[in-house]
Amino acid sequence: MEKQPRLLASQLLLKNRVFEVLLNRVILTWKEIPANKKRVSGSIHHPFKVGFCFPKFLHRGKGESASRPKHLLVYINPYGGKQQGKRIYEQKVAPLFACASISTDVIVTEHANHARDHLRTEAELKQYDGVVCVGGDGMFSEIVHGLVFRAQKDNGVDQNSPEEKLVPCTLRIGIIPAGSTDCICYATVGINDPVTSALHIIVGDSQPMDVCSVHHNNTFLRYSVSLLGYGFYGDVLADSVRKRWMGPARYDFSGFKTFLTHHHYEGVVSFLPATDTLGTPGDQTRCRAGCFICQHDGQLYTEDSPEKCKTAPDVSDSENEGGWGVIRGKFLAINAASMSCACPRSPKGLSPAAHLADGTTDLILVRKCSRFNFLRHLLRHTSKDDQFDMTFVEVHRVRRFRFTPCQNDSELDLRENGKQLFSQICHPAYSSWNCDGEILPHAAIEVGVHCQLIKLFARGIEEQSLFEDLAHPCAL
């Protein structure tokens, strides 16, 4: 019989007894580990077929770990992806929650931002142990915005101040993937499978995660947890919004069209480098479960440090002013990756060594270059080659950054000659910011990283090779 790849491997501590829990596509097994050994070989007891009932120790009872959820608030997006969210939850997830003695209050969203607005004002959050979203990255973003807003409101924090230190959310967030893009789930679990995600929620896993706040002129715009992209990725999103009738194929079409137009944009990027962290964007150290870099750098960031209080300098030609780096140039793309941004199409992501909870984001600057070289850069997102080993690409691990657009010389000349309309058609003055799949209304923004602001029902990716070889995730 062919050996099934493992989806989850962990150790569970229960009443001073340690159990090893293993999950493959169809079987959940466990065995007790003797106290004098970390791991033992031998037969595995109690085979369990997914979909029937949970072993006794996975039911929460008196005296058991408080990390396991007992009561969850669930939001289902019935319209996202292939409109399968409700079916996925009812057929694959709800039976597992019931077997694990987890009660749920389920809300099927009726319109955009339904979940966000409910969390902001109406939800009685004190009675829940966590919030679960069934949908894609857009649905997850709604949950984050609702919970973070509520936490700041309850604690009197002004979100419009870029320098304000935000209060972390107390409730963990679970992601049941059911969207057209499930980048967040893939980058935090390693696979887009609803059963695997449900099991992470049931066993009470906890993965801290950074959140970026985006401001314009001391006005809060949005939060970002994965990608902020100006230039190429902003143009792709702006074009795809006008082609929703094409479905998921619009992203490929808009990407190809944007690549052919090959627009570049001039601007000034100022950033506060994370000089005291252990990791660097080019060290090839992947963020994994129990990541030492996230633990070390996260603890370092939460300590009082004058570096965090420094404000951005005025735009100048100086390369380094007040601890901030300042770069002016013409860019094809400006990307800030708060995580690897890995997905099935790009297993390594935009920044393979980005970390989930170290209080930083990787600022990737792609300067103006030939169309051929830019294609080489894009193709490296799907290969094993170094993402940043190109002369026109530079990357900085930062705690804050600011971008100010400016018009290039050719644009100014055309405006002076009364050819403004022609200029905008041939080479627009500004791009749009792609903030986790949403377009920002302003090009000039200030971004700050808030270390470990939220927590997920996840543990990070444990063994990447197990998921890379998995072509067909388990299904009930």
Side-chain angles (χ1 to χ4, degrees):
M1 183 176 179
E2 181 182 356
K3 184 177 179 181
Q4 299 285 352
R6 288 178 295 166
L7 299 180
L8 182 148
S10 183
Q11 292 185 3
L12 176 67
L13 177 64
L14 177 64
K15 296 180 180 179
N16 296 323
R17 299 165 64 191
V18 180
F19 295 85
E20 183 179 37
V21 183
L22 303 174
L23 171 71
N24 61 32
R25 292 178 185 171
V26 294
I27 301 295
L28 176 68
T29 58
W30 69 97
K31 65 180 177 182
E32 185 175 357
I33 301 176
N36 60 343
K37 295 183 179 180
K38 291 184 178 180
R39 271 184 191 272
V40 296
S41 58
S43 60
I44 294 180
H45 313 290
H46 316 300
F48 159 70
K49 290 190 176 181
V50 174
F52 288 93
C53 62
F54 274 90
K56 213 170 183 184
F57 70 81
L58 284 182
H59 289 271
R60 183 175 180 177
K62 274 191 174 182
E64 295 186 21
S65 172
S67 66
R68 291 197 55 240
K70 187 177 181 180
H71 193 191
L72 296 172
L73 176 59
V74 180
Y75 293 96
I76 300 176
N77 180 4
Y79 308 109
K82 298 180 180 179
Q83 302 182 358
Q84 297 294 308
K86 196 168 183 291
R87 181 192 67 81
I88 288 173
Y89 177 77
E90 292 175 349
Q91 296 183 10
K92 298 185 177 184
V93 179
L96 299 180
F97 285 171
C99 288
S101 300
I102 297 176
S103 62
T104 59
D105 290 337
V106 180
I107 296 177
V108 180
T109 58
E110 300 175 357
H111 52 80
N113 294 321
H114 183 173
R116 183 201 68 181
D117 296 339
H118 184 260
L119 285 169
R120 283 182 172 185
T121 56
E122 302 176 36
E124 297 292 337
L125 299 181
K126 292 183 179 180
Q127 61 179 301
Y128 299 108
D129 301 311
V131 179
V132 176
C133 67
V134 184
D137 293 340
M139 186 64 175
F140 176 76
S141 180
E142 280 195 40
I143 302 299
V144 170
H145 279 79
L147 286 178
V148 174
F149 178 90
R150 184 70 172 269
Q152 311 322 306
K153 179 183 177 182
D154 293 345
N155 289 275
V157 177
D158 181 13
Q159 295 182 91
N160 285 321
S161 173
E163 304 297 328
E164 194 78 38
K165 183 176 180 179
L166 301 185
V167 176
C169 299
T170 57
L171 293 180
R172 284 171 290 175
I173 305 173
I175 310 173
I176 303 299
S180 55
T181 59
D182 298 299
C183 174
I184 310 297
C185 184
Y186 191 92
T188 55
V189 176
I191 188 172
N192 294 335
D193 174 52
V195 173
T196 303
S197 295
L199 289 171
H200 279 288
I201 296 171
I202 289 168
V203 300
D205 283 334
S206 183
Q207 169 64 53
M209 193 169 168
D210 298 337
V211 176
C212 291
S213 61
V214 186
H215 291 79
H216 171 76
N217 288 343
N218 292 321
T219 301
F220 169 75
L221 297 181
R222 283 189 68 86
Y223 292 113
S224 171
V225 295
S226 58
L227 172 67
L228 274 164
Y230 185 83
F232 180 76
Y233 288 104
D235 292 348
V236 170
L237 178 62
D239 187 76
S240 67
V241 167
R242 297 188 290 267
K243 298 178 175 59
R244 291 187 180 275
W245 56 270
M246 295 181 64
R250 67 184 184 273
Y251 298 113
D252 293 330
F253 179 85
S254 295
F256 181 68
K257 176 183 175 182
T258 302
F259 170 75
L260 292 180
T261 56
H262 202 58
H263 288 156
H264 66 271
Y265 303 93
E266 187 171 358
V268 179
V269 181
S270 54
F271 57 91
L272 179 62
T275 57
D276 53 352
T277 57
L278 290 181
T280 64
D283 62 13
Q284 302 300 314
T285 302
R286 304 293 182 89
C287 187
R288 293 291 181 260
C291 178
F292 174 75
I293 290 178
C294 288
Q295 292 177 6
H296 176 274
D297 292 350
Q299 183 178 3
L300 182 69
Y301 184 73
T302 55
E303 297 174 354
D304 291 334
S305 172
E307 181 188 40
K308 295 187 295 179
C309 301
K310 293 179 181 178
T311 57
D314 294 332
V315 172
S316 69
D317 294 329
S318 172
E319 289 296 323
N320 195 306
E321 185 173 326
W324 284 68
V326 180
I327 299 175
R328 176 169 183 159
K330 297 178 180 179
F331 306 99
L332 289 173
I334 299 173
N335 302 319
S338 299
M339 58 173 62
S340 66
C341 297
C343 64
R345 286 191 175 187
S346 178
K348 290 174 55 180
L350 291 181
S351 185
H355 289 266
L356 295 172
D358 65 343
T360 69
T361 186
D362 287 352
L363 182 62
I364 307 168
L365 308 177
V366 183
R367 294 181 180 271
K368 180 183 176 182
C369 62
S370 67
R371 186 179 283 108
F372 174 73
N373 279 334
F374 188 58
L375 177 61
R376 289 173 54 219
H377 168 67
L378 294 177
L379 290 177
R380 290 202 175 185
H381 296 155
T382 62
S383 69
K384 295 182 179 180
D385 296 329
D386 187 351
Q387 309 277 69
F388 312 123
D389 186 23
M390 293 180 170
T391 56
F392 55 90
V393 179
E394 59 182 287
V395 58
H396 305 271
R397 182 152 290 175
V398 305
R399 297 205 186 277
R400 304 183 64 88
F401 76 91
R402 186 175 70 177
F403 174 73
T404 304
C406 52
Q407 300 166 345
N408 56 43
D409 296 337
S410 59
E411 174 72 12
L412 292 174
D413 293 340
L414 287 169
R415 286 179 182 271
E416 291 174 358
N417 294 330
K419 299 179 181 179
Q420 178 177 349
L421 179 61
F422 176 77
S423 164
Q424 292 177 341
I425 294 176
C426 294
H427 194 163
Y430 308 117
S431 177
S432 301
W433 278 100
N434 178 341
C435 179
D436 293 355
E438 296 291 334
I439 296 177
L440 296 182
H442 302 283
I445 62 172
E446 182 174 350
V447 180
V449 184
H450 301 272
C451 187
Q452 302 184 10
L453 190 65
I454 61 174
K455 289 184 179 179
L456 306 185
F457 284 109
R459 68 181 63 181
I461 300 174
E462 293 189 287
E463 297 182 49
Q464 183 68 21
S465 60
L466 298 178
F467 301 103
E468 288 176 343
D469 297 333
L470 185 61
H472 305 287
C474 67
L476 296 180

